[in-house]
Amino acid sequence: EAQVTQNPRYLITVTGKKLTVTCSQNMNHEYMSWYRQDPGLGLRQIYYSMNVEVTDKGDVPEGYKVSRKEKRNFPLILESPSPNQTSLYFCASSLRLNTGELFFGEGSRLTVL
Amino acid sequence: AQSVTQLGSHVSVSEGALVLLRCNYSSSVPPYLFWYVQYPNQGLQLLLKYTTGATLVKGINGFEAEFKKSETSFHLTKPSAHMSDAAEYFCAVSFKAAGNKLTFGGGTRVLVKP
Protein backbone atom coordinates (compact mmCIF):
# COMPACT_ATOMS: atom_id res chain seq x y z
CA GLU A 1 0.00 0.00 0.00
CA ALA A 2 1.33 3.44 -0.98
CA GLN A 3 1.80 5.51 2.14
CA VAL A 4 3.72 8.10 4.08
CA THR A 5 4.52 6.90 7.60
CA GLN A 6 5.36 9.19 10.49
CA ASN A 7 6.55 8.29 13.98
CA PRO A 8 5.76 8.99 16.70
CA ARG A 9 2.12 9.93 16.24
CA TYR A 10 1.98 11.55 19.67
CA LEU A 11 4.76 12.88 21.83
CA ILE A 12 4.98 14.94 24.99
CA THR A 13 8.44 16.23 25.82
CA VAL A 14 10.15 18.96 27.80
CA THR A 15 11.96 22.09 26.71
CA GLY A 16 15.45 21.43 25.44
CA LYS A 17 15.24 17.66 25.02
CA LYS A 18 16.28 16.80 21.47
CA LEU A 19 13.80 14.78 19.47
CA THR A 20 13.41 13.37 15.98
CA VAL A 21 10.20 12.74 14.08
CA THR A 22 10.74 10.17 11.37
CA CYS A 23 9.05 10.14 7.96
CA SER A 24 9.23 7.40 5.38
CA GLN A 25 7.48 6.99 2.02
CA ASN A 26 7.29 3.87 -0.13
CA MET A 27 6.34 5.51 -3.44
CA ASN A 28 9.83 6.40 -4.70
CA HIS A 29 8.87 10.08 -4.59
CA GLU A 30 11.55 12.67 -5.24
CA TYR A 31 9.96 15.51 -3.31
CA MET A 32 9.34 15.49 0.44
CA SER A 33 8.28 18.23 2.79
CA TRP A 34 7.44 18.97 6.41
CA TYR A 35 4.55 21.18 7.50
CA ARG A 36 3.21 22.33 10.81
CA GLN A 37 -0.49 22.91 11.33
CA ASP A 38 -1.73 25.46 13.84
CA PRO A 39 -5.34 26.60 14.32
CA GLY A 40 -6.31 29.37 11.93
CA LEU A 41 -2.93 29.36 10.20
CA GLY A 42 -3.40 26.39 7.91
CA LEU A 43 -0.28 24.47 7.01
CA ARG A 44 3.06 26.21 6.95
CA GLN A 45 6.07 24.66 5.31
CA ILE A 46 9.10 24.04 7.51
CA TYR A 47 11.60 22.39 5.16
CA TYR A 48 11.47 20.58 1.88
CA SER A 49 13.69 18.32 -0.19
CA MET A 50 13.76 18.04 -3.96
CA ASN A 51 15.84 14.86 -3.88
CA VAL A 52 18.54 13.01 -1.96
CA GLU A 53 21.02 15.41 -0.32
CA VAL A 54 19.01 18.43 -1.52
CA THR A 55 17.10 20.30 1.19
CA ASP A 56 15.90 23.86 1.57
CA LYS A 57 14.10 26.09 4.03
CA GLY A 58 10.39 26.67 3.86
CA ASP A 59 8.48 29.48 5.50
CA VAL A 60 9.10 28.63 9.17
CA PRO A 61 12.45 26.78 9.45
CA GLU A 62 13.72 28.29 12.72
CA GLY A 63 14.39 25.67 15.37
CA TYR A 64 14.25 22.73 12.99
CA LYS A 65 16.72 20.63 11.01
CA VAL A 66 16.24 17.97 8.36
CA SER A 67 18.32 15.52 6.38
CA ARG A 68 17.74 13.47 3.24
CA LYS A 69 20.33 10.73 3.09
CA GLU A 70 18.01 8.24 1.41
CA LYS A 71 15.18 8.86 -1.01
CA ARG A 72 12.52 7.29 1.19
CA ASN A 73 13.36 8.99 4.52
CA PHE A 74 13.11 12.61 5.60
CA PRO A 75 13.44 13.01 9.38
CA LEU A 76 12.59 16.26 11.19
CA ILE A 77 14.93 17.13 14.04
CA LEU A 78 14.21 19.51 16.90
CA GLU A 79 17.59 20.08 18.53
CA SER A 80 16.25 22.07 21.49
CA PRO A 81 12.45 22.09 21.46
CA SER A 82 10.56 25.04 22.91
CA PRO A 83 6.87 25.43 23.82
CA ASN A 84 6.17 27.44 20.64
CA GLN A 85 6.97 24.29 18.68
CA THR A 86 3.93 22.58 20.15
CA SER A 87 1.98 21.76 17.03
CA LEU A 88 0.67 19.10 14.67
CA TYR A 89 3.33 18.10 12.16
CA PHE A 90 2.78 16.56 8.75
CA CYS A 91 5.21 14.96 6.37
CA ALA A 92 4.23 14.92 2.71
CA SER A 93 5.69 13.61 -0.51
CA SER A 94 5.14 14.03 -4.21
CA LEU A 95 6.50 12.36 -7.29
CA ARG A 96 7.82 15.73 -8.35
CA LEU A 97 7.17 19.19 -6.91
CA ASN A 98 5.40 20.46 -9.98
CA THR A 99 2.47 18.07 -9.67
CA GLY A 100 1.17 19.84 -6.57
CA GLU A 101 -0.37 16.54 -5.53
CA LEU A 102 1.00 15.85 -2.12
CA PHE A 103 0.56 12.59 -0.23
CA PHE A 104 0.40 13.22 3.50
CA GLY A 105 1.26 11.19 6.53
CA GLU A 106 -1.24 10.94 9.37
CA GLY A 107 0.47 13.58 11.45
CA SER A 108 2.53 13.77 14.62
CA ARG A 109 1.13 15.75 17.51
CA LEU A 110 3.95 17.23 19.56
CA THR A 111 3.59 18.93 22.91
CA VAL A 112 6.59 20.71 24.43
CA LEU A 113 6.23 21.54 28.12
CA ALA B 1 4.14 36.88 -2.63
CA GLN B 2 1.40 34.41 -3.33
CA SER B 3 -1.36 34.07 -0.79
CA VAL B 4 -4.67 32.33 -0.41
CA THR B 5 -7.60 33.33 1.78
CA GLN B 6 -10.46 31.13 2.90
CA LEU B 7 -13.52 33.03 4.05
CA GLY B 8 -14.94 31.55 7.22
CA SER B 9 -13.02 29.27 9.55
CA HIS B 10 -16.19 27.33 10.40
CA VAL B 11 -19.23 26.50 8.31
CA SER B 12 -22.33 24.68 9.52
CA VAL B 13 -24.72 23.08 7.04
CA SER B 14 -27.71 20.80 7.31
CA GLU B 15 -27.57 17.35 5.80
CA GLY B 16 -28.83 17.60 2.22
CA ALA B 17 -28.08 21.32 1.92
CA LEU B 18 -25.60 23.00 -0.38
CA VAL B 19 -21.99 23.17 0.77
CA LEU B 20 -20.12 26.30 -0.36
CA LEU B 21 -16.57 26.99 0.76
CA ARG B 22 -14.89 30.15 -0.46
CA CYS B 23 -11.30 30.55 -1.57
CA ASN B 24 -9.61 33.60 -3.04
CA TYR B 25 -5.99 33.98 -4.05
CA SER B 26 -3.71 36.86 -4.86
CA SER B 27 -1.58 36.64 -7.96
CA SER B 28 -0.82 38.35 -11.22
CA VAL B 29 0.13 35.11 -12.97
CA PRO B 30 -1.90 31.98 -13.66
CA PRO B 31 -2.05 29.73 -10.60
CA TYR B 32 -2.50 26.05 -10.02
CA LEU B 33 -5.31 25.56 -7.50
CA PHE B 34 -6.11 22.72 -5.15
CA TRP B 35 -8.60 21.69 -2.51
CA TYR B 36 -7.52 19.24 0.15
CA VAL B 37 -9.70 17.59 2.81
CA GLN B 38 -8.65 16.51 6.28
CA TYR B 39 -10.85 14.05 8.15
CA PRO B 40 -10.46 13.83 11.93
CA ASN B 41 -7.11 12.42 13.04
CA GLN B 42 -5.92 11.96 9.48
CA GLY B 43 -3.57 13.64 7.06
CA LEU B 44 -4.74 15.76 4.15
CA GLN B 45 -5.86 14.18 0.92
CA LEU B 46 -6.38 15.76 -2.47
CA LEU B 47 -10.01 16.53 -3.31
CA LEU B 48 -9.52 18.18 -6.70
CA LYS B 49 -7.16 20.40 -8.65
CA TYR B 50 -7.12 22.96 -11.43
CA THR B 51 -4.04 23.42 -13.59
CA THR B 52 -5.17 24.34 -17.10
CA GLY B 53 -8.16 23.78 -19.37
CA ALA B 54 -11.76 23.50 -18.19
CA THR B 55 -12.45 25.90 -15.35
CA LEU B 56 -15.07 23.69 -13.70
CA VAL B 57 -13.27 20.84 -11.99
CA LYS B 58 -14.90 17.77 -10.51
CA GLY B 59 -13.36 15.93 -7.62
CA ILE B 60 -14.04 13.01 -5.35
CA ASN B 61 -17.15 12.55 -3.19
CA GLY B 62 -19.34 14.80 -5.36
CA PHE B 63 -17.36 17.99 -4.85
CA GLU B 64 -16.55 20.45 -7.59
CA ALA B 65 -14.86 23.83 -7.88
CA GLU B 66 -14.81 26.57 -10.45
CA PHE B 67 -11.81 28.71 -11.30
CA LYS B 68 -12.86 32.30 -11.95
CA LYS B 69 -9.88 34.33 -13.09
CA SER B 70 -11.72 37.67 -13.03
CA GLU B 71 -12.65 37.10 -9.38
CA THR B 72 -9.38 35.33 -8.42
CA SER B 73 -11.53 32.67 -6.81
CA PHE B 74 -11.75 28.90 -6.60
CA HIS B 75 -14.83 28.16 -4.51
CA LEU B 76 -15.69 24.58 -3.58
CA THR B 77 -19.26 23.31 -3.75
CA LYS B 78 -21.30 20.18 -3.20
CA PRO B 79 -25.03 20.21 -3.97
CA SER B 80 -26.09 18.01 -1.07
CA ALA B 81 -24.11 17.63 2.15
CA HIS B 82 -23.67 14.24 3.75
CA MET B 83 -22.72 13.54 7.34
CA SER B 84 -19.44 12.06 6.09
CA ASP B 85 -18.47 15.49 4.67
CA ALA B 86 -17.72 16.76 8.17
CA ALA B 87 -14.03 17.61 7.93
CA GLU B 88 -11.61 20.49 7.51
CA TYR B 89 -11.04 21.76 3.98
CA PHE B 90 -7.95 23.56 2.75
CA CYS B 91 -7.51 25.59 -0.39
CA ALA B 92 -3.98 25.72 -1.76
CA VAL B 93 -2.27 27.56 -4.57
CA SER B 94 1.00 27.22 -6.44
CA PHE B 95 2.68 29.12 -9.21
CA LYS B 96 5.03 27.77 -11.79
CA ALA B 97 7.21 30.86 -11.45
CA ALA B 98 7.65 30.13 -7.75
CA GLY B 99 8.78 26.56 -8.33
CA ASN B 100 5.25 25.30 -7.80
CA LYS B 101 5.53 25.55 -4.04
CA LEU B 102 2.15 24.97 -2.38
CA THR B 103 0.75 27.71 -0.14
CA PHE B 104 -2.25 26.74 2.00
CA GLY B 105 -5.16 28.78 3.23
CA GLY B 106 -6.16 28.78 6.89
CA GLY B 107 -8.74 26.05 6.48
CA THR B 108 -12.52 25.83 6.89
CA ARG B 109 -14.05 23.33 9.27
CA VAL B 110 -17.39 21.97 8.08
CA LEU B 111 -20.00 20.75 10.53
CA VAL B 112 -22.95 18.81 9.12
CA LYS B 113 -26.15 18.85 11.15
CA PRO B 114 -28.68 16.01 10.89
Side-chain angles (χ1 to χ4, degrees):
Chain A
E1 180 188 354
Q3 58 187 2
V4 178
T5 304
Q6 298 178 224
N7 280 296
R9 295 286 314 280
Y10 302 91
L11 179 64
I12 299 174
T13 189
V14 295
T15 299
K17 186 175 181 181
K18 180 180 179 180
L19 68 91
T20 299
V21 185
T22 64
C23 174
S24 181
Q25 49 91 7
N26 62 0
M27 296 169 280
N28 201 36
H29 283 172
E30 292 181 354
Y31 178 85
M32 297 185 75
S33 181
W34 277 102
Y35 292 86
R36 61 177 289 172
Q37 182 181 15
D38 302 290
L41 298 178
L43 277 77
R44 294 178 293 168
Q45 190 179 53
I46 302 171
Y47 269 93
Y48 65 96
S49 170
M50 302 288 281
N51 214 323
V52 176
E53 302 292 359
V54 180
T55 64
D56 209 346
K57 296 177 180 179
D59 298 317
V60 289
E62 294 78 20
Y64 305 95
K65 287 175 58 178
V66 293
S67 67
R68 187 93 181 271
K69 294 184 172 62
E70 306 164 284
K71 199 170 188 178
R72 63 183 295 128
N73 296 323
F74 190 45
L76 178 69
I77 303 158
L78 285 72
E79 292 272 4
S80 182
S82 62
N84 65 12
Q85 293 178 298
T86 293
S87 188
L88 179 58
Y89 291 87
F90 286 100
C91 180
S93 72
S94 176
L95 186 60
R96 293 179 194 83
L97 175 58
N98 60 8
T99 68
E101 296 179 47
L102 294 175
F103 291 81
F104 282 82
E106 293 188 313
S108 297
R109 185 168 292 282
L110 171 65
T111 301
V112 183
L113 302 176
Chain B
Q2 63 197 54
S3 67
V4 57
T5 302
Q6 293 182 239
L7 193 62
S9 59
H10 291 80
V11 168
S12 181
V13 299
S14 297
E15 192 172 19
L18 171 72
V19 179
L20 169 61
L21 305 182
R22 300 179 187 274
C23 173
N24 289 86
Y25 65 91
S26 64
S27 169
S28 58
V29 297
Y32 298 155
L33 296 156
F34 307 83
W35 276 99
Y36 280 82
V37 60
Q38 183 182 28
Y39 298 107
N41 299 313
Q42 294 186 25
L44 282 72
Q45 62 185 80
L46 184 66
L47 202 53
L48 50 79
K49 67 174 182 178
Y50 167 80
T51 52
T52 58
T55 56
L56 182 62
V57 180
K58 295 187 185 299
I60 60 173
N61 301 335
F63 284 92
E64 62 182 35
E66 186 171 12
F67 169 53
K68 292 187 176 181
K69 184 178 179 181
S70 60
E71 299 177 7
T72 61
S73 69
F74 191 56
H75 302 330
L76 181 71
T77 60
K78 181 173 180 177
S80 177
H82 191 274
M83 296 299 292
S84 61
D85 295 326
E88 190 158 18
Y89 294 80
F90 292 92
C91 183
V93 61
S94 71
F95 301 92
K96 192 173 183 180
N100 286 329
K101 172 192 164 184
L102 268 184
T103 297
F104 287 88
T108 299
R109 187 171 297 278
V110 173
L111 172 66
V112 182
K113 298 177 292 185

